[in-house]
Amino acid sequence: MTKNLVILGSTGSIGRQTLDVCERLEIRVLALTAGSNVDRMEEQCRAFRPVLAVMADAAAAEELRRRLSDLKIEIDSGDAGLLRAASLDGADTVVTAVVGMVGLRPTLAAIRKGRRIALANKETLVCAGELVMREAERFGAEIIPVDSEHSAIFQCLMGCRDRAELRKLILTCSGGPFYGMTREQLAAVTREDALRHPNWKMGEKITIDCATLMNKGLEFIEAMRLYSVGPEKVAVAIHRQSIVHSLVEFTDGAVMAQLGTPDMRLPIQLALTYPQRLPSPAGELDLFTCGALTFAEPDLETFPCLRLAQESARTGGTACAVLNGANEAAVARFLRREIGFYDISDAVACALDSVPLCADPTLEEILEADRCARAAVAAKFGN
Ligand code: NDP
Ligand code: MG
């Protein structure tokens, strides 16, 4: 059970829900980090009194220092600050809840300190999963997934003696706000349409990824890395109700699933308390009112991002880092209203076609693949 916690990305959706769990379980929060949201960071610092608060943005850190001059909290900034928080002495668990590939180095830093990683930042595992898992093994750092699907699989595998008994991991997918729509209808959707997720309230980047189904593609790769399985052992099922959070099929044909109301505080809490289970604020699942549970195959023609991710998973090497880097760059443009919905998948496909790939990459090669993918997207859109 976690006693002393560091939260990377505390002002975001996962970060705030983590603090809610900490408050209920009286877990001590040692460090908080954010990008630039000074107002929320100030509030969190006053409520939780960490020893260290880090803003990625230097001007934001300066402003925070000014506002918190009455408290004894150290303020730091930039990549160095983030690394410092990730490897802070005295912490037993680090929640990685920053969005994007910026989480990679801090996650590695925490792993090298042997911390438990409560992992929400899926982009890190997508880009450098093999390297991250190898380092975790080497330094004896447990990686406990926060992502609801992977937490569900983790729970289904509790008590599984031998991973050879595992036949298939089945990731469920809500289908997002555009389920059932045609390519023609999707060509005209806006940022606002895409941000309207039917079942979950999350940060903007992941919400767009849910609309394109890239989120499920990233989770497909995340599952392969977390559970050391090949792409042929991961399947995706559209499940509109978000009640069954994922399933595991075993060699004898038995299928285990984890069900619950859609509330991220359950997987977040489990990642902090495992192997213990404690009462949580997640609502009780009422089987008699939750309605019919349905499952369908994903439409890879209308949602090409999922197909591109599955292809990258099969290619391996730096392909997943290119996929992720191009997607991050394209989604940022879509959020700034610079490009349309299908420009996201087009940009990812274009980066995968143009960036040279390499097998079994080093950290430097992964970072370079990410840079090249972003450059390919910039070149495609003319800056
Ligand atoms: P949010 O956008 O809500 O929060 C992101 C956090 O990262 C904020 O604290 C933000 O700070 C910080 N941040 C942003 N940019 C930087 C940067 N360049 N350097 C350092 N910190 C930065 O995202 P979510 O909480 O929704 O998601 C976080 C991660 O968890 C993602 O990888 C996502 O895929 C994953 N995840 C999220 C789920 C959810 O339900 N939200 C479910 C499963 C996985 P600031 O507020 O200052 O911008
Ligand atoms: Mg998920």
Side-chain angles (χ1 to χ4, degrees):
M1 162 95 194
T2 299
K3 293 200 171 61
N4 293 296
L5 187 67
V6 168
I7 308 176
L8 308 178
S10 63
T11 52
S13 158
I14 294 288
R16 294 193 314 268
Q17 295 180 83
T18 304
L19 283 171
D20 186 27
V21 170
C22 289
E23 198 166 12
R24 289 162 194 272
L25 301 185
E26 297 182 358
I27 293 172
R28 168 101 176 92
V29 178
L30 292 185
L32 297 173
T33 85
S36 57
N37 189 340
V38 180
D39 290 344
R40 195 163 274 154
M41 181 56 102
E42 181 187 359
E43 244 171 62
Q44 294 184 344
C45 283
R46 293 200 179 277
F48 291 90
R49 306 291 170 105
V51 293
L52 174 67
V54 177
M55 304 299 297
D57 183 82
E62 206 39 61
E63 171 66 12
L64 185 69
R65 193 171 289 124
R66 198 184 57 72
R67 292 199 203 172
L68 293 181
S69 57
D70 59 316
L71 297 183
K72 266 180 62 189
I73 297 176
E74 259 200 82
I75 315 289
D76 206 338
S77 68
D79 291 346
L82 207 58
L83 287 176
R84 192 173 152 208
S87 40
L88 195 70
D89 284 335
D92 37 48
T93 302
V94 176
V95 176
T96 62
V98 297
V99 58
M101 162 80 170
V102 290
L104 177 54
R105 283 183 192 279
T107 303
L108 285 172
I111 285 174
R112 288 173 183 152
K113 282 278 190 171
R115 304 287 183 256
R116 171 183 288 192
I117 309 293
L119 188 130
N121 178 225
K122 65 188 83 180
E123 293 89 350
T124 288
L125 271 196
V126 169
C127 296
E130 282 149 326
L131 194 146
V132 167
M133 296 308 286
R134 264 200 313 271
E135 289 292 277
E137 171 103 40
R138 187 167 146 221
F139 288 90
E142 282 177 297
I143 299 196
I144 317 261
V146 164
D147 212 345
S148 58
E149 295 78 1
H150 305 77
S151 174
I153 291 169
F154 181 81
Q155 294 175 61
C156 294
L157 289 176
M158 284 179 187
C160 168
R161 288 176 310 110
D162 182 354
R163 289 287 169 87
E165 294 173 355
L166 190 163
R167 190 193 282 164
K168 197 152 248 170
L169 307 178
I170 305 162
L171 297 171
T172 53
C173 171
S174 74
F178 302 143
Y179 177 71
M181 283 171 68
T182 62
R183 276 192 84 100
E184 292 66 39
Q185 290 170 317
L186 278 178
V189 294
T190 63
R191 174 188 197 279
E192 284 63 38
D193 299 328
L195 285 175
R196 229 169 276 129
H197 193 278
N199 305 340
W200 300 94
K201 178 89 192 80
M202 307 173 287
E204 289 188 338
K205 191 263 176 181
I206 184 176
T207 307
I208 302 300
D209 286 344
C210 287
T212 61
L213 295 205
M214 180 59 95
N215 183 51
K216 212 47 57 180
L218 300 178
E219 291 183 353
F220 186 95
I221 301 164
E222 186 185 7
M224 285 171 56
R225 303 300 178 241
L226 279 170
Y227 301 108
S228 302
V229 295
E232 72 292 347
K233 287 199 169 182
V234 187
V236 173
I238 302 290
H239 167 55
R240 296 292 285 159
Q241 300 79 24
S242 296
I243 298 285
V244 177
H245 296 308
S246 279
L247 313 90
V248 176
E249 186 183 309
F250 294 91
T251 36
D252 58 0
V255 178
M256 306 275 286
Q258 186 250 328
L259 285 71
T261 52
D263 188 327
M264 286 306 296
R265 289 174 300 180
L266 193 154
I268 292 170
Q269 177 171 304
L270 185 66
L272 303 184
T273 64
Y274 175 80
Q276 244 182 308
R277 284 189 187 272
L278 294 174
S280 100
E284 251 176 65
L285 175 64
D286 182 350
L287 285 176
F288 304 118
T289 58
C290 73
L293 303 180
T294 58
F295 301 91
E297 264 189 80
D299 173 354
L300 301 183
E301 289 310 310
T302 312
F303 297 95
C305 282
L306 175 55
R307 177 178 51 75
L308 290 166
Q310 290 172 325
E311 285 168 8
S312 302
R314 285 182 208 112
T315 306
T318 45
C320 297
V322 171
L323 172 97
N324 179 73
N327 183 59
E328 282 191 32
V331 169
R333 281 171 188 266
F334 179 77
L335 283 168
R336 293 197 301 267
R337 301 175 210 281
E338 293 169 12
I339 63 173
F341 187 75
Y342 277 116
D343 288 328
I344 300 175
S345 47
D346 286 351
V348 173
C350 163
L352 283 167
D353 280 343
S354 61
V355 176
L357 302 178
C358 74
D360 200 17
T362 60
L363 178 60
E364 235 352 282
E365 286 167 331
I366 289 165
L367 296 171
E368 179 59 16
D370 175 73
R371 276 191 290 273
C372 291
R374 289 168 198 266
V377 174
K380 179 176 168 61
F381 297 113
N383 62 32

